[in-house]
Amino acid sequence: MGKSILVDLTRCIGCRGCQIACKQWKNLPAEPTRNTGTHQNPPDLSDKTIRLIRYTEARVEGELEWLFFPEQCRHCYTAPCKRVADEYSKGLIMRDDATGAIYLAPAKKINAKTAKAIRKSCPYDIPRSRADGTGVFKCDFCIDRISNGMKPACVLSCPTNVLTFGDEYEILDLARERLQVVRKEFPKAYLGDPANTRVIYLYQTDHRLYYQIPI
């Protein structure tokens, strides 16, 4: 049994608390940004931003609504990134047996060719590289924290209980229970890929309205 996170998108207010907490815990630097005419900042994941809130103004049931999407690695049960990395060199990407976390071996160097293949393998387009194309950067499930009995930094920081962390079967049960509650207000709500990923999203509407997220 591993760990999972439920991401209840119906509760997200786009505060970026999780995004900031991630940067602080991982000691990731700020990066220059510019006004692109949207609230999206920074515009995408990068080697310096491994967790991001995506902002989308979408028309849902005829009404304009803000849809907020906390983007991060899904920590797949069968991780394509690890499979591809293993083809290049064993040990580049690791799986923690106790938690199921998919993380990068800190002592390993990844060249541009391998990094490109790893990113291409991800169905959610999560891994990012440096400007020169080398290295791979993504959420590691805060493996250092949870291995010491702590919650991931993003979960701890969320003020509206969007993120719930715990044992995988308990989180899956909670996700199903919460789905039934949410459907009273959002009849089209559903869970995104709960059988394949440890990060389970509860969508209030079509996932394609959230930045064209694959599922």
Side-chain angles (χ1 to χ4, degrees):
M1 180 186 295
K3 301 294 184 179
S4 290
I5 295 177
L6 170 62
V7 186
D8 186 345
L9 297 176
T10 69
R11 290 173 165 169
C12 186
I13 59 174
C15 72
R16 294 194 181 97
C18 59
Q19 181 176 318
I20 295 170
C22 176
K23 273 187 174 287
Q24 289 179 331
W25 182 255
K26 297 300 182 186
N27 197 27
L28 296 171
E31 52 187 316
T33 60
R34 60 185 178 84
N35 190 333
T36 59
T38 75
H39 288 279
Q40 187 68 58
N41 185 31
D44 198 6
L45 297 167
S46 72
D47 60 324
K48 301 178 182 65
T49 302
I50 60 175
R51 181 182 181 84
L52 180 74
I53 298 293
R54 298 198 183 278
Y55 289 69
T56 303
E57 189 175 19
R59 191 169 292 278
V60 181
E61 303 296 328
E63 300 290 335
L64 283 176
E65 291 191 22
W66 274 114
L67 298 178
F68 306 117
F69 191 88
E71 180 82 280
Q72 68 166 88
C73 173
R74 310 302 198 272
H75 296 276
C76 303
Y77 286 102
T78 303
C81 62
K82 184 180 186 308
R83 175 180 54 78
V84 169
D86 285 346
E87 293 175 0
Y88 287 86
S89 177
K90 290 283 187 180
L92 288 180
I93 295 180
M94 309 290 289
R95 179 192 303 279
D96 180 63
D97 291 336
T99 64
I102 304 297
Y103 65 98
L104 302 154
K108 297 283 188 176
K109 293 184 178 181
I110 300 178
N111 61 35
K113 179 180 179 181
T114 305
K116 184 177 180 180
I118 289 172
R119 178 175 178 178
K120 188 176 180 180
S121 74
C122 177
Y124 304 101
D125 190 28
I126 296 298
R128 294 293 189 272
S129 304
R130 299 184 185 92
D132 64 2
T134 63
V136 170
F137 302 84
K138 72 173 194 66
C139 160
D140 65 1
F141 222 44
C142 274
I143 183 65
D144 52 344
R145 293 177 61 91
I146 61 180
S147 295
N148 287 284
M150 304 166 68
K151 294 179 180 179
C154 59
V155 175
L156 193 63
S157 72
C158 182
T160 57
N161 296 319
V162 175
L163 307 170
T164 306
F165 172 80
D167 292 335
E168 60 180 276
Y169 295 118
E170 292 179 357
I171 292 299
L172 186 56
D173 286 344
L174 175 64
R176 291 166 175 158
E177 291 173 7
R178 178 62 184 160
L179 176 62
Q180 297 309 309
V181 173
V182 166
R183 277 181 171 167
K184 295 175 183 178
E185 182 177 358
F186 304 105
K188 295 183 179 180
Y190 61 98
L191 301 176
D193 219 7
N196 298 311
T197 63
R198 293 186 178 278
V199 179
I200 304 170
Y201 287 86
L202 197 171
Y203 295 94
Q204 72 181 58
T205 188
D206 190 336
H207 70 273
R208 291 171 294 185
L209 297 179
Y210 295 86
Y211 185 69
Q212 297 297 307
I213 299 298
I215 196 167

